[in-house]
Amino acid sequence: MIHHLDVALLSAFVERWQPDTNTFHMPFGEMTILLHDVHHILRIPVEGVMMRDEASADILKADMSGLVRLSVDASVGGEWKSKWFVNGGMHGDGVLVRARELQIEEVEVQCYLFVLLGSTLFVDKSRDRIRPAINLFLKDHRSVAGYAWGAAALAYLYRQLGVATRVDSKNICGCLTLLQAWIYEYFPLFRPSQLVQSADAPRASSWVCPRLSGGDDARQRLLGYRQMLNEMSPDDVTWTPYGRFPGKEVPRSLFTGVIRFSDIAEVYDPGRCRRQFGYRQIVPRPTMVPCEHYRPTSGISYSVFWSKSADQLWVNLPGHSLHLDFDSFPCELPSEVEEGYIDWYQTRSHPLINHPSSKGKSLWRPVLRDKVSYCYFVMIILD
């Protein structure tokens, strides 16, 4: 387990994820991780070229061979008893060692970025394998800073949250630092201590995360977190943690359409979460529907397909943006919703997770520190 992650807390939120809308279903309405959250929490670009290049498995494998200048059918060598390329993933530590062996500056930079991105934003369940699709966007060093890395990381996390909701899924990957820091930003009841830092620093690096045990203790925490979420009201949420109207500071956060990382494309619909922009929540319009999707009980064959035209929405922000001033009003109270919204929501959601007979105990004051570890999160500098 990665020490800074509270797996029980993450699991409690995964249980409330709805992959059709890419929102968490809370007792009082929908919430989600938005692009302005990515901007503030990670400080990586959410504006830029959409990362939609795709390649077949064979092409990606050949691309990895070109990166390390070796056949990836061979074993990594050294201390690792593994092959370079297994289950569609590249051995991360081996890539770094090989880059140092080659002593080609351009290759070293590319390999470093490949492993850095694969171990922070696009984390695989295996933990030691890197998704080869990342390298498609690193070949031209002049273009790296122009991609919307934040939007790609969010699309990837949306997908992994969807996969994690499958009954046969036993794990979750993606940028879990983003997910956990997002929970801390919006839900004071779960927050650990926070460090003072400069305004332009990634907010993820400000949280002092406790080291938590697993096993029965984690199970009991999960039951407590479920109960806390069941009992939570909208007044327990910090709806605008970065200031009153975040959509004005990060206009791309108001985009409505599809966000993408390579072959992964997911719907992004801020209209379902207007309170996170400082506006009264109204009954949302229907969310965009993919042309095809397959979400079985197992996440192995989980897939969602969109038409090519959906990718074009990204380049026309004014035409595909949430115009809050035209159809909603700023909140007088942060948790404000229009009349009829809660009735509409309750006919479409299951706001309670625990069965009435659940024996979980509420943790309204979750003091979870034993040994405190200071977590320093990597800030990716792409320019």
Side-chain angles (χ1 to χ4, degrees):
M1 182 175 75
I2 300 175
H3 294 305
H4 74 269
L5 295 178
D6 184 347
V7 176
L9 181 61
L10 300 180
S11 298
F13 275 82
V14 168
E15 291 174 340
R16 292 181 170 273
W17 185 254
Q18 169 50 257
D20 287 314
T21 57
N22 284 334
T23 56
F24 296 103
H25 278 216
M26 309 302 290
F28 41 80
E30 293 175 270
M31 297 181 69
T32 198
I33 307 170
L34 294 160
L35 287 172
H36 66 259
D37 294 310
V38 180
H39 167 80
H40 288 286
I41 292 172
L42 298 181
R43 287 295 179 184
I44 58 176
V46 299
E47 191 66 76
V49 178
M50 182 179 286
M51 299 170 64
R52 59 187 180 210
D53 291 352
E54 298 181 48
S56 68
D58 289 340
I59 291 175
L60 289 174
K61 188 175 180 180
D63 191 50
M64 290 293 94
S65 292
L67 179 64
V68 297
R69 304 328 198 242
L70 288 170
S71 170
V72 294
D73 292 321
S75 295
V76 177
E79 61 185 282
W80 301 290
K81 308 297 183 183
S82 175
K83 291 189 177 296
W84 283 101
F85 199 87
V86 176
N87 296 328
M90 193 69 171
H91 194 281
D93 288 339
V95 170
L96 291 178
V97 171
R98 179 60 178 164
R100 288 192 288 268
E101 290 175 351
L102 291 171
Q103 295 186 336
I104 303 172
E105 183 177 355
E106 189 173 292
V107 174
E108 286 191 74
V109 171
Q110 187 171 337
C111 288
Y112 174 76
L113 286 175
F114 175 69
V115 175
L116 176 64
L117 292 164
S119 57
T120 54
L121 300 186
F122 308 105
V123 181
D124 185 80
K125 284 187 178 181
S126 69
R127 305 297 181 189
D128 67 346
R129 298 282 160 177
I130 308 298
R131 292 179 65 90
I134 298 169
N135 194 50
L136 297 175
F137 308 97
L138 300 176
K139 294 179 179 181
D140 183 354
H141 294 177
R142 296 167 299 178
S143 301
V144 171
Y147 288 117
W149 290 98
L154 186 58
Y156 185 73
L157 180 57
Y158 278 1
R159 173 61 56 85
Q160 303 312 319
L161 284 166
V163 171
T165 63
R166 305 301 90 187
V167 68
D168 292 338
S169 181
K170 295 178 171 48
N171 213 331
I172 183 174
C173 58
C175 188
L176 300 185
T177 293
L178 171 60
L179 173 57
Q180 184 162 299
W182 179 85
I183 295 170
Y184 292 161
E185 293 286 352
Y186 284 88
F187 299 92
L189 291 169
F190 302 122
R191 285 177 187 164
S193 301
Q194 191 172 20
L195 301 173
V196 177
Q197 59 179 18
S198 62
D200 60 348
R203 291 169 69 111
S205 63
S206 69
W207 300 107
V208 182
C209 302
R211 286 182 179 268
L212 300 171
S213 57
D216 292 340
D217 184 54
R219 173 66 178 170
Q220 188 57 42
R221 288 203 313 276
L222 174 58
L223 294 175
Y225 289 145
R226 285 175 181 164
Q227 190 67 20
M228 290 175 71
L229 290 173
N230 281 344
E231 298 171 3
M232 192 172 285
S233 79
D235 295 329
D236 294 314
V237 177
T238 302
W239 289 97
T240 52
Y242 324 109
R244 186 67 191 277
F245 300 114
K248 294 181 179 179
E249 182 181 356
V250 188
R252 180 57 71 173
S253 192
L254 295 165
F255 168 73
T256 300
V258 172
I259 54 177
R260 177 185 283 275
F261 167 63
S262 190
D263 61 323
I264 291 175
E266 291 288 338
V267 67
Y268 177 83
D269 189 355
R272 306 187 78 91
C273 305
R274 293 167 188 256
R275 285 177 286 185
Q276 291 175 238
F277 290 95
Y279 283 76
R280 182 188 305 168
Q281 183 61 51
I282 65 175
V283 174
R285 65 184 183 186
T287 295
M288 292 175 59
V289 178
C291 57
E292 185 180 348
H293 63 86
Y294 182 61
R295 300 186 181 107
T297 57
S298 170
I300 295 175
S301 52
Y302 188 110
S303 56
V304 181
F305 300 99
W306 295 85
S307 65
K308 294 294 184 182
S309 60
D311 289 344
Q312 303 305 314
L313 306 180
W314 181 260
V315 299
N316 182 13
L317 180 60
H320 299 283
S321 186
L322 183 65
H323 298 287
L324 291 165
D325 293 330
F326 291 111
D327 59 3
S328 55
F329 299 93
C331 292
E332 294 182 10
L333 299 173
S335 59
E336 196 172 347
V337 298
E338 75 167 0
E339 184 178 357
Y341 170 75
I342 295 299
D343 291 338
W344 169 88
Y345 176 68
Q346 289 179 340
T347 63
R348 292 161 172 81
S349 181
H350 300 283
L352 301 181
I353 295 297
N354 277 359
H355 189 276
S357 65
S358 170
K359 297 181 181 179
K361 296 181 180 179
S362 182
L363 296 176
W364 282 107
R365 295 185 180 275
V367 181
L368 302 174
R369 298 180 185 85
D370 18 51
K371 294 182 179 178
V372 176
S373 64
Y374 289 82
C375 301
Y376 298 95
F377 301 94
V378 177
M379 179 180 178
I380 299 174
I381 301 175
L382 298 170
D383 53 11

